[in-house]
Every structure is written in C-alpha cells, then in structure tokens.
Amino acid sequence: MGIVEEAHNVRVLGRGDRTIVLAHGFGTDQSVWKHLVPHLVDEYRVVIFDNMGAGPTNPDYFDFNRYSTLEGYVFDLLGILQELGIESCVFVGHSVSGVIGALASISRPDLFSKLVLLSASPRYLNDVDYFGGFEQEDLNQLFEAMRSNYKAWVSGFAPLAVGGDMESVAVQEFSRTLFNMRPDIALTVAQTIFQSDVRQLLGLVTVPCHILQSSKDLAVPVVVSEFLHKNIGGYSIVEVMPSEGHLPQLSCPDSVIPVLLKHIRYDIQV
C-alpha cells in the first residue's frame, strides 16, 4: 500500500472491468456508503476512502493551509487515482465531494467517464440572483457554535442535516462520524466548504454529470440542482428524489440506493 492509500484508508473491493470511486461529504467517512457497496461489488471494482480530516484519518496529516481551499482535496483525489493506477472511473461524490470530483475532472477529464453528484452544491451562500440556502450570518452562527461547544453543536446539527430525530439510526450514525472528527479540524473543514464558490468553473466541466438531489435538504435547496444542470459545460441530467435530508444514502437507503444504481449503470442518452 502506498503512502496516499494508507493516509486515506483506501479500500478496493469487488471485481469487474469498470471502477466505481465513492467519495463522502463533510462530517462522514467511507462508512456512509455501507448500504450501496454490497450492490456494487459483484459487478464493479469499488474504491472507497476517507477525505483528510475525517475521523478515521490521522489528524497529524491534516495540513490547515492545504485544506483551506477545495484544491487540497482535489489534489488528494487525483493522487489516489494515480496511486491505484485508475485510468477511468465512474465517480460518485456526495456533497462537497461531488464538487471536488467536478474540479478534478476539469484538469483530468480522461480519468472520469461520468460524475454522479449527490447533494452537491457549487456555493452555499445566497448571492444576487442565486439561492444557495444560507446567509453569511447563518454561517457565522454555525461556526461560532462549533467553536464554543462542539458536542452541543453536533447534537443539534445532525438531526437537522439528516432530517430525523436523535433516535433515528441515520442521525446516530452521522453523530458518530461527526464526533470522530477533531473539533478544530471539523471547524476548518466546515469553513472551507461553506465559504467555497466554484460557480465560475462549472462551464469547464465537460464530463457527463448525473445530478441527484433530495426534495428536502437543509444544506442544498432543490434549485441548486437546476443551477448545476444549466451551468455545467457538458451533458447533465437531474433527478430530484422524494427523499428528505442531506445524507439520503444513509437515511433513505431503500428508495435512494436504486436511484444511485440506475445512474451508475446507465449513461445519459445524447
């Protein structure tokens, strides 16, 4: 195992001619794909890993300067693909990892046959003629809550993000992975993600994109999926699912996993 693979806890599962790369979003780790992976391993080679800063990664490896922008994560993803010798993959990115995959595809479109973007957003802040879902004051309060009492923040944020009460299995699972993060690292990652804006780069994305979105999502309004569809440079398709929450692959697997499988297996007809 190479240095990059070890640092990101890379696991390669299954068998098949095509490679599927699954990338998780903020506050989770590779375990967020536990309902999807069993449906893929008999048909595909499946790569799962942890983004730097996720609970299972070594916090000593987290470079606060490197991860002050999404570019650090883009380099990580490209490094993983290079170290594994992957020449082409179907990339499934949840939340910020959808955007990370899109940015990686700009510099290396040859590595991605298509992108499946689940609950992805190019900008979380509202702007003139753009509804991202948050005002700056909302984010300032979120960051301050994380800074002042991380445990209390997790207890409040997890059910809001997942769309369930504290007793639900999905909320407990998301709470677990959030608690696994070191609070100062979690704050930095959240600031990098929620303050990011890649709207101006979407036109450079030429790889086919399958955009999947919950009908009700605290972090990403449905209109964001339409914005992505209209502004991505290549072919794209949108499916709004009747699921609730920002982690539908965890909270609504019975309805969401079949949709993910459909978009992984079938390409956009052009």
Side-chain angles (χ1 to χ4, degrees):
M1 181 178 284
I3 294 173
V4 174
E5 289 177 73
E6 185 177 358
H8 291 275
N9 305 315
V10 175
R11 296 167 65 207
V12 181
L13 309 169
R15 55 189 179 276
D17 296 331
R18 299 186 77 185
T19 298
I20 312 292
V21 176
L22 306 178
H24 68 84
F26 168 69
T28 59
D29 56 38
Q30 60 185 262
S31 68
V32 79
W33 300 113
K34 64 183 181 181
H35 297 298
L36 176 62
V37 169
H39 297 278
L40 297 173
V41 290
D42 289 338
E43 193 176 345
Y44 302 100
R45 180 186 183 217
V46 181
V47 176
I48 52 178
F49 65 95
D50 296 321
N51 284 328
M52 196 53 61
T57 61
N58 186 340
D60 293 340
Y61 291 162
F62 189 85
D63 184 324
F64 286 86
N65 288 326
R66 178 183 177 91
Y67 299 109
S68 63
T69 70
L70 297 181
E71 192 174 33
Y73 298 98
V74 172
F75 288 141
D76 285 352
L77 173 59
L78 293 173
I80 291 168
L81 298 182
Q82 179 178 3
E83 198 161 280
L84 293 177
I86 294 172
E87 297 179 353
S88 179
C89 73
V90 173
F91 180 84
V92 182
H94 172 236
S95 192
V96 67
S97 279
V99 172
I100 291 166
L103 295 177
S105 77
I106 294 172
S107 59
R108 291 296 306 273
D110 55 303
L111 295 178
F112 304 90
S113 61
K114 67 180 171 186
L115 305 173
V116 180
L117 311 179
L118 176 64
S119 309
S121 176
R123 177 183 166 108
Y124 296 88
L125 269 172
N126 298 331
D127 198 5
V128 178
D129 299 327
Y130 176 81
F131 182 63
F134 294 90
E135 296 292 344
Q136 185 62 55
E137 182 58 29
D138 299 328
L139 295 183
N140 291 343
Q141 291 176 5
L142 183 148
F143 300 146
E144 181 54 35
M146 293 181 73
R147 191 179 291 113
S148 61
N149 189 331
Y150 185 70
K151 185 176 181 180
W153 173 79
V154 169
S155 297
F157 180 75
L160 287 174
V162 173
D165 59 51
M166 281 303 292
E167 302 307 312
S168 79
V169 174
V171 170
Q172 290 179 8
E173 179 66 11
F174 188 40
S175 299
R176 179 188 69 79
T177 53
L178 278 168
F179 280 132
N180 279 344
M181 296 183 75
R182 208 172 77 186
D184 58 331
I185 291 176
L187 175 60
T188 292
V189 174
Q191 289 172 326
T192 297
I193 293 169
F194 282 115
Q195 302 284 177
S196 64
D197 185 356
V198 301
R199 291 176 298 171
Q200 72 280 10
L201 299 175
L202 294 177
L204 302 176
V205 178
T206 57
V207 172
C209 292
H210 296 241
I211 302 160
L212 309 182
Q213 175 63 41
S214 289
S215 58
K216 186 177 180 183
D217 182 342
L218 167 82
V220 184
V222 171
V223 291
V224 170
S225 60
E226 282 300 325
F227 182 89
L228 286 170
H229 179 50
K230 291 176 182 176
N231 289 276
I232 282 172
Y235 291 109
S236 65
I237 188 172
V238 175
E239 181 164 350
V240 177
M241 304 174 292
S243 52
E244 181 175 339
H246 191 58
L247 296 89
Q249 74 275 43
L250 197 62
S251 60
C252 311
D254 290 347
S255 60
V256 170
I257 298 305
V259 177
L260 278 165
L261 290 171
K262 176 180 68 175
H263 286 275
I264 288 169
R265 289 172 176 149
Y266 301 109
D267 297 331
I268 299 171
Q269 298 300 312
V270 296

